[in-house]
């Protein structure tokens, strides 16, 4: 991890500490920052791929404001070409060089995969199949979430390992689990 990416990781960790200590998002959402990003564009310092779960709000979790995080949300934080295209856009065009695959405790998609018996859902089954492939028969909530995060990290690393827009050591892919009860992010 280069020095710039280390600073981004420290910023994320510090933002999570502020969130836990204050119980609110301290990120800048002012009129001034809205106008600035409208006129000058967005310049996020990190990409966060996370679950669509309404209890998981990356901007709040990391005390980030408008234009600071490029957030991609999908149930179970699974990845397909659409999410990979969004990641590629963020690092190729917006220069965000730290990617965080953020899982969370008590994830409904993880629980569905753990308890799945091939249900009748038309599209949810694709999410469940992906997660089941990642977690196998793991029944522990945290361990299953961590396995799913590691699976996503590996997909991202494999997809972009030789991308022409990435200099050696310029892109870092990190895994983390957010505890929805405590608010703490554990880096894995």
């Amino acid at each position: 991890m280069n020095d710039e990416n280390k600073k981004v990781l420290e910023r994320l960790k510090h933002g999570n500490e502020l969130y836990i200590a204050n119980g609110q998002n301290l990120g800048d959402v002012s009129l001034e920052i809205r106008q600035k990003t409208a006129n000058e564009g967005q310049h996020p310092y990190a990409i966060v791929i996370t679950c669509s779960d309404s209890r998981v709000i990356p901007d709040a979790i990391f005390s980030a404001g408008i234009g600071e995080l490029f957030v991609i949300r999908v149930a179970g934080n699974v990845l397909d070409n659409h999410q990979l295209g969004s990641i590629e856009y963020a690092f190729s065009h917006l220069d965000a060089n730290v990617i965080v695959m953020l899982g969370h405790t008590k994830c409904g998609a993880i629980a569905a995969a753990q308890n799945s018996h091939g249900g009748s859902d038309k599209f949810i089954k694709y999410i469940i199949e992906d997660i089941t492939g990642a977690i196998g028969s793991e029944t522990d909530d945290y361990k299953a979430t961590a396995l799913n995060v590691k699976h996503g990290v590996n997909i991202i690393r494999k997809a972009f390992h030789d991308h022409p827009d990435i200099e050696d050591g310029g892109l870092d892919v990190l895994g983390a689990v957010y505890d929805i009860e405590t608010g703490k992010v554990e880096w894995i």
Side-chain angles (χ1 to χ4, degrees):
M1 181 175 282
N2 65 32
D3 288 341
E4 187 175 320
N5 289 356
K6 285 179 186 176
K7 288 178 186 175
V8 169
L9 177 58
E10 287 307 312
R11 187 173 180 181
L12 291 165
K13 287 179 177 181
H14 180 69
N16 184 237
E17 291 169 3
L18 289 173
Y19 169 69
I20 293 168
N22 294 294
Q24 60 185 347
N25 181 4
L26 301 175
D28 187 352
V29 295
S30 66
L31 173 61
E32 292 79 18
I33 196 68
R34 289 194 309 270
Q35 290 174 338
K36 180 178 180 181
T37 57
N39 294 327
E40 298 174 18
Q42 60 176 317
H43 302 285
Y45 59 83
I47 304 163
V48 179
I49 303 97
T50 195
C51 187
S52 299
D53 191 302
S54 62
R55 300 168 293 179
V56 180
I57 307 166
D59 299 293
I61 293 166
F62 296 115
S63 298
I66 294 171
E68 294 185 311
L69 298 178
F70 190 89
V71 178
I72 302 163
R73 295 179 69 141
V74 60
N77 51 293
V78 298
L79 296 166
D80 66 17
N81 289 337
H82 297 94
Q83 287 78 33
L84 292 173
S86 295
I87 293 167
E88 182 179 34
Y89 171 75
F91 72 71
S92 290
H93 298 276
L94 303 176
D95 298 322
N97 294 317
V98 173
I99 301 170
V100 179
M101 174 59 76
L102 182 65
H104 68 94
T105 58
K106 302 190 184 301
C107 178
I110 297 285
Q114 289 173 319
N115 301 309
S116 178
H117 303 294
S120 62
D121 293 315
K122 187 171 182 177
F123 296 104
I124 297 172
K125 68 181 177 185
Y126 298 111
I127 296 169
I128 292 171
E129 287 170 0
D130 193 349
I131 294 172
T132 300
I135 69 170
S137 59
E138 182 57 63
T139 58
D140 179 81
D141 174 56
Y142 185 88
K143 290 179 183 176
T145 299
L147 286 170
N148 192 49
V149 165
K150 290 175 185 177
H151 176 69
V153 166
N154 289 334
I155 289 171
I156 295 166
R157 287 181 177 157
K158 183 178 177 185
F160 300 115
H161 78 281
D162 62 352
H163 195 282
D165 288 345
I166 302 170
E167 296 177 19
D168 287 340
L171 185 70
D172 286 298
V173 185
L174 310 171
V177 176
Y178 171 68
D179 186 312
I180 65 167
E181 293 179 69
T182 67
K184 184 165 178 50
V185 173
E186 292 287 337
W187 299 89
I188 56 174

